Amino acid sequence: MGLIDLMAKIADYIPTVEKPKAKPGLYERLLWTAIALIVYVIMANTPLYGISVTGGGQQILLVQIIFASRRGTLMELGIGPIVTAGLIMQILVGAKMINLDMSNPDDRRRFTAAQKTFALILAAFEAAMYVSACRYWTPTGPNPFFQCSATIYQRIGVGLQLFIATYIVILLDEMIQKGWGIGSGVSLFILTGVAQRILWNLISPITISGEAVGFIPYAIQVLSTGGNINSIIIRSGGRDLVGLIVTFVIIFLLVYLEGMKVEIPVTSPRLRSIKTKVPLKFLYVTNIPVLLVGILYSDILVFASLTRLYLQNIVPDWVANMLATYDANGRLTGGLAYYLSPPGSLARTLYDPMQAVIYAVSVLFLATLFGIMWVEISGLSASAQAEELIKSGMEIPGIRRNPKILERILSRYIFPLTVLSSLIVALIAVTADLMGAYGTGTGILLAVGIVQQYYTMIAYERTLEAYPLLKRLVGE
């Protein structure tokens, strides 16, 4: 029995959500989706029981966005273990290090089950590292593992809370994906986190050092007290007018680009008079490359934070400083984690242009690399598309029905689209981060894509309910 089979077998003994015997109606599915969302929001606002501080140091905004996490709450880990497990498994399958055929239902079931087990293993590991590092309490000595103000029972209790909360998130995601809800729980929770972050940046009345956090309260504060109006346009310590304008511009730009398509004419050898076109989205890779870069960066930032908290007396100083350096307030000031973090505002970009350049170049390079890799492992490559055309009985006019020839023709469209779309989405995300867009560039990309997916799915479901005959035609 291989490792994948073993992990899949373990998943069989883990309580799961069963598929509905009959497909629920649209409004019932929307209700279950809303229930899952409410449960997530409650957990994201429920502090961990038994902690004395809200967490060690500054939590990176990128980590909060990508992992839908919230410091010091049951959602401290968020969806991190789920997306990290999925990313690693997808890469291993795409690189043929795991021999699974994702078009085979049995192999797909084994993959999903093994991924669930792997996510729970990662959740247990992260929870153990957090409590071992005395993250939520005050260290009483240089070694937080042995010298911590919390008792062993407190640390075990908090670790169990983190693990159980992650397991509940996995169940919520399963409930939605197995047909009780609409879409996926992971996407829903990311969208919720981005929406909350944008609203917080816009209207939060909380003040820090006498300045309102939200842009609108801050603008009112400045105008009512006769302060410097220029600080409303470009603000060093919070969101400003430039970021708000950039947010709206990027949202409209993404909606426009999502509607652009490149069409390839095809026909049927049996019905020559019937011609059609295969539409390829201009943003062929959608937001996947930026999401993968965000997951990678988030994992690096989390590891750097844990190294500072837990391994600072184990790893050499030069290794710890290479990963991250912090000031007295726990804010990043250098190291790999600093240069991989988005500036977050135009003022910070102007303050340290070198960090902005390194961040931008690394995101553009890795997004292009991940875009090419994703197309190859997800069945979107020219060879996979050529095989699909042959199987469907379609062909490109004037071209022999040979998969290799079709692959060469399609690669003229698909490879440039892959590289170009990867660069475009990465450039949009980088521009948003450098200009201080609300919710971060990655967050806006994910949110717009998720909203469009939900719009398409809901429109599809409403159409099927309005025209029952279509259900029989599509096999539902």
Side-chain angles (χ1 to χ4, degrees):
M1 179 183 291
L3 180 60
I4 295 297
D5 293 321
L6 176 61
M7 294 172 68
K9 191 69 175 177
I10 293 174
D12 292 337
Y13 295 95
I14 300 173
T16 187
V17 177
E18 297 294 334
K19 286 185 177 181
K21 296 179 180 179
K23 184 178 178 180
L26 174 60
Y27 292 106
E28 183 179 350
R29 295 173 69 190
L30 287 173
L31 175 62
W32 283 111
T33 303
I35 291 173
L37 178 58
I38 292 171
V39 172
Y40 165 77
V41 171
I42 291 174
M43 290 197 299
N45 289 277
T46 302
L48 290 164
Y49 179 77
I51 66 174
S52 57
V53 294
T54 57
Q58 178 191 32
Q59 188 178 30
I60 306 301
L61 178 58
L62 180 63
V63 177
Q64 292 178 286
I65 295 293
I66 297 296
F67 290 162
S69 63
R70 198 160 190 178
R71 185 175 59 184
T73 70
L74 292 174
M75 284 293 95
E76 176 80 58
L77 303 183
I79 59 173
I82 303 174
V83 296
T84 302
L87 173 63
I88 294 174
M89 294 281 290
Q90 287 278 7
I91 292 175
L92 292 177
V93 171
K96 304 301 181 183
M97 297 178 68
I98 296 178
N99 187 22
L100 291 176
D101 180 7
M102 298 306 290
S103 62
N104 185 318
D106 185 58
D107 280 1
R108 198 182 312 119
R109 185 199 63 80
R110 290 164 56 207
F111 175 87
T112 303
Q115 180 180 322
K116 178 179 179 179
T117 302
F118 189 26
L120 289 173
I121 292 172
L122 289 177
F125 173 76
E126 289 186 28
M129 288 292 290
Y130 274 39
V131 297
S132 297
C134 197
R135 180 179 176 87
Y136 306 106
W137 305 276
T138 304
T140 58
N143 191 327
F145 182 82
F146 295 106
Q147 297 167 313
C148 181
S149 60
T151 65
I152 185 65
Y153 301 106
Q154 286 178 293
R155 297 166 91 170
I156 292 175
V158 171
L160 287 175
Q161 290 177 65
L162 293 173
F163 178 78
I164 293 172
T166 303
Y167 176 59
I168 292 174
V169 170
I170 292 175
L171 291 179
L172 293 175
D173 182 50
E174 282 187 345
M175 180 187 75
I176 294 175
Q177 292 204 53
K178 287 187 175 181
W180 291 103
I182 295 179
S184 99
V186 169
S187 298
L188 182 66
F189 303 148
I190 290 176
L191 177 60
T192 304
V194 175
Q196 287 181 327
R197 176 58 53 180
I198 292 176
L199 286 175
W200 179 263
N201 292 152
L202 193 61
I203 62 175
S204 173
I206 303 298
T207 59
I208 298 178
S209 300
E211 288 188 359
V213 173
F215 169 70
I216 292 178
Y218 176 74
I220 295 174
Q221 183 182 35
V222 171
L223 293 174
S224 62
T225 58
N228 184 7
I229 298 180
N230 290 332
S231 65
I232 298 177
I233 301 174
I234 300 178
R235 183 180 173 193
S236 59
R239 298 305 176 185
D240 50 33
L241 182 60
V242 171
L244 181 62
I245 294 173
V246 170
T247 300
F248 283 109
V249 169
I250 286 178
I251 289 174
F252 287 122
L253 178 62
L254 286 172
V255 172
Y256 174 75
L257 292 177
E258 280 287 342
M260 292 180 61
K261 290 181 173 58
V262 176
E263 298 180 330
I264 304 175
V266 295
T267 186
S268 170
R270 295 186 297 273
L271 302 170
R272 294 284 180 178
S273 60
I274 299 179
K275 296 182 179 181
T276 185
K277 296 178 180 180
V278 174
L280 300 177
K281 293 178 63 175
F282 180 69
L283 296 183
Y284 191 63
V285 293
T286 61
N287 53 32
I288 295 298
V290 173
L291 175 60
L292 295 178
V293 172
I295 293 172
L296 175 63
Y297 281 16
S298 297
D299 285 330
I300 292 174
L301 297 176
V302 169
F303 179 74
S305 175
L306 291 177
T307 299
R308 169 179 172 261
L309 292 169
Y310 180 47
L311 303 177
Q312 56 182 341
N313 297 310
I314 300 176
V315 301
D317 289 340
W318 67 270
V319 174
N321 292 332
M322 182 182 67
L323 286 172
T325 57
Y326 298 83
D327 62 13
N329 297 319
R331 291 176 298 190
L332 275 171
T333 56
L336 181 63
Y338 173 74
Y339 288 102
L340 297 184
S341 301
S345 69
L346 181 58
R348 292 178 184 173
T349 299
L350 297 175
Y351 174 77
D352 191 351
M354 180 59 68
Q355 188 254 352
V357 170
I358 293 176
Y359 171 75
V361 171
S362 64
V363 170
L364 290 171
F365 172 75
L366 287 176
T368 304
L369 187 64
F370 280 139
I372 295 172
M373 180 193 72
W374 178 257
V375 165
E376 290 298 324
I377 68 176
S378 62
L380 297 174
S381 63
S383 59
Q385 297 288 352
E387 289 180 5
E388 288 297 324
L389 278 177
I390 294 294
K391 290 179 181 178
S392 63
M394 305 302 288
E395 63 182 19
I396 298 177
I399 305 298
R400 284 187 300 156
R401 297 184 75 250
N402 185 313
K404 294 298 181 183
I405 297 177
L406 283 176
E407 180 181 343
R408 286 199 299 269
I409 298 297
L410 291 175
S411 63
R412 297 176 188 174
Y413 296 89
I414 291 178
F415 184 76
L417 271 179
T418 300
V419 175
L420 182 61
S421 60
S422 299
L423 286 172
I424 288 175
V425 294
L427 186 60
I428 290 174
V430 166
T431 302
D433 289 331
L434 298 184
M435 301 294 287
Y438 297 12
T440 75
T442 303
I444 295 173
L445 275 170
L446 295 176
V448 171
I450 292 168
V451 168
Q452 290 184 318
Q453 288 173 5
Y454 267 97
Y455 174 79
T456 302
M457 287 185 289
I458 292 174
Y460 174 77
E461 295 293 338
R462 286 181 61 88
T463 302
L464 290 183
E465 289 198 348
Y467 303 97
L469 181 61
L470 289 177
K471 289 187 177 181
R472 283 182 252 170
L473 293 177
V474 299
E476 292 194 11

